[in-house]
Amino acid sequence: MNLAIFLEESRTVLEHKLEELLEEKQTSYHSLLDASRYAALGSGKRLRPILVLATAQVFGSDLDTALVPACAIELIHTYSLIHDDLPAMDDDDYRRGKPTVHNVFPESHAILAGDHLLTYAFELLSEAPGLTSDQKIQLIATLSKASGANGLIGGQVMDLESEGGTLSLDMLKEIHTRKTGALIQAAVLFGGIIGGATEEQLTALKEYSHDIGLAFQIIDDVLDITASEEKHGKHIGSDAINNKVTSATLLGIDKAKKYALQLLSSAQNHLVEMKQNTALLSELSECLVNRSR
Ligand code: GRG
């Protein structure tokens, strides 16, 4: 299938499903749902859920089975963005092309909307249609490890503690791998688990997604310096404002881009190891590295 068509179709079904999963309800706590909807709907590249769908289709899984798990990953990602933007963390006031959640709702509600999306993601996985109990347990284990101390949250702590200091390239890679890479890796593994990949194929997917996760973050660092705010959807230069060492500041823009291309090539070699038709995933990986937002 052509990548442009796949992306358009995937985004359409994902937006509908997210809207359905986060539908407006007349409850006595509707302000929590309003803040969650504000954060999760109507914007975002949907990279992680698209990776779930693209990897699942490599193994012949139907879209309907992959859809709820794909949305669960996007909800975890959205929670992490809400919390990352809070005054206690990066204190950002612009995200996904609009004011951050704590700038529109009370800060308490931004925290609680993040908590809600995090918890809801696991509820959705436990009830996801079309999967065996064993697959659901594998998905829950994969996502909880990627989101926890060994992944996203640990990476965030390392990132906060590194502000204003110096960092070696190895330390920076570890932060990137946990903070950004872990969830991207979980998305790719989700596709493999849903599609019934073998142990060998899951190992190849792990290595592939490690490389594209790192490459994705390196390009994000470059875009934080070179992109326009309108395209990137957040304030440009926020890394510099927060005194952050990034791959672009450590290596320089040209070397950082070159490194991302090396990672892309390594990722594509791992795709070959899977002995499946991975043309779509390979093209998608190229798009991630060559993106402008
Ligand atoms: C607060 C637990 C906790 C974790 C925060 C995700 C994160 C960790 C921080 C957000 C800031 C940041 C730049 C993280 C690196 C990962 C990244 C590039 C996030 C942005 O992902 P995109 O570009 O965003 O896919 P959209 O809005 O398109 O979904």
Side-chain angles (χ1 to χ4, degrees), residues 151-169:
L152 192 65
I153 297 177
Q156 177 74 351
V157 168
M158 290 176 72
D159 190 46
L160 290 169
E161 288 179 358
S162 73
E163 272 172 30
T166 52
L167 271 183
S168 66
L169 186 58

Side-chain angles (χ1 to χ4, degrees), residues 8-25:
E8 199 185 318
E9 286 181 4
S10 301
R11 287 200 178 104
T12 304
V13 289
L14 283 164
E15 296 306 329
H16 278 121
K17 196 69 190 177
L18 285 166
E19 175 69 50
E20 180 191 316
L21 295 172
L22 292 167
E23 70 172 349
E24 269 180 302
K25 279 186 199 139

Side-chain angles (χ1 to χ4, degrees), residues 200-201 203-204 207 266 268-276:
E200 291 75 25
Q201 286 168 330
T203 302
E207 283 159 356
S266 165
Q268 284 172 324
N269 288 338
H270 290 304
L271 284 183
V272 175
E273 289 164 17
M274 298 215 316
K275 301 188 175 73
Q276 296 278 334

Side-chain angles (χ1 to χ4, degrees), residues 30-292:
H30 70 86
S31 53
L32 173 74
L33 304 184
D34 293 346
S36 308
R37 285 171 57 81
Y38 176 82
L41 302 181
S43 55
K45 293 185 285 298
R46 310 303 190 204
L47 160 67
R48 295 150 192 83
I50 284 171
L51 275 171
V52 177
L53 302 185
T55 311
Q57 68 84 43
V58 167
F59 299 96
S61 161
D62 63 282
L63 183 84
D64 279 352
T65 314
L67 204 49
V68 169
C71 289
I73 292 238
E74 181 67 12
L75 297 187
I76 296 272
H77 169 58
T78 307
Y79 123 72
S80 76
L81 298 179
I82 302 173
H83 281 195
D84 184 66
D85 290 334
L86 288 168
M89 300 215 200
D90 274 3
D91 196 10
D92 275 316
D93 52 18
Y94 195 60
R95 166 77 68 185
R96 291 184 156 178
K98 57 189 183 185
T100 42
V101 183
H102 65 271
N103 273 306
V104 175
F105 297 86
E107 189 182 342
S108 53
H109 285 53
I111 296 170
L112 291 167
D115 294 343
H116 164 52
L117 295 176
L118 166 64
T119 315
Y120 187 34
F122 288 101
E123 179 187 333
L124 289 174
L125 286 180
S126 71
E127 293 172 349
L131 296 169
T132 63
S133 302
D134 192 48
Q135 280 175 312
K136 287 186 215 171
I137 289 170
Q138 282 187 62
L139 295 180
I140 290 168
T142 301
L143 191 56
S144 47
K145 281 179 199 154
S147 316
N150 209 20
L152 192 65
I153 297 177
Q156 177 74 351
V157 168
M158 290 176 72
D159 190 46
L160 290 169
E161 288 179 358
S162 73
E163 272 172 30
T166 52
L167 271 183
S168 66
L169 186 58
D170 279 348
M171 277 296 272
L172 186 63
K173 277 201 275 187
E174 188 182 339
I175 294 174
H176 284 354
T177 301
R178 292 186 194 285
K179 186 176 152 178
T180 310
L183 209 50
I184 288 179
Q185 187 164 62
V188 169
L189 292 178
F190 262 35
I193 294 165
I194 294 162
T198 63
E199 279 306 316
E200 291 75 25
Q201 286 168 330
L202 285 174
T203 302
L205 285 177
K206 236 181 220 169
E207 283 159 356
Y208 156 76
S209 53
H210 170 272
D211 290 342
I212 57 157
L214 198 48
F216 179 80
Q217 180 59 58
I218 291 169
I219 296 302
D220 196 72
D221 290 347
V222 170
L223 292 175
D224 191 70
I225 297 173
T226 61
S228 71
E229 292 198 347
E230 194 192 346
K231 269 196 171 172
H232 207 35
K234 60 181 193 181
H235 285 321
I236 295 304
S238 64
D239 291 337
I241 291 163
N242 288 323
N243 271 321
K244 281 199 175 158
V245 177
T246 73
S247 36
T249 58
L250 207 58
L251 297 173
I253 289 177
D254 288 346
K255 272 196 184 154
K257 280 188 185 164
K258 212 165 154 192
Y259 183 34
L261 287 172
Q262 280 168 4
L263 287 162
L264 171 65
S265 158
S266 165
Q268 284 172 324
N269 288 338
H270 290 304
L271 284 183
V272 175
E273 289 164 17
M274 298 215 316
K275 301 188 175 73
Q276 296 278 334
N277 181 355
T278 53
L280 188 79
L281 213 44
S282 173
E283 224 187 307
L284 179 57
S285 318
E286 279 174 33
C287 273
L288 294 188
V289 174
N290 294 315
R291 73 191 199 277
S292 59

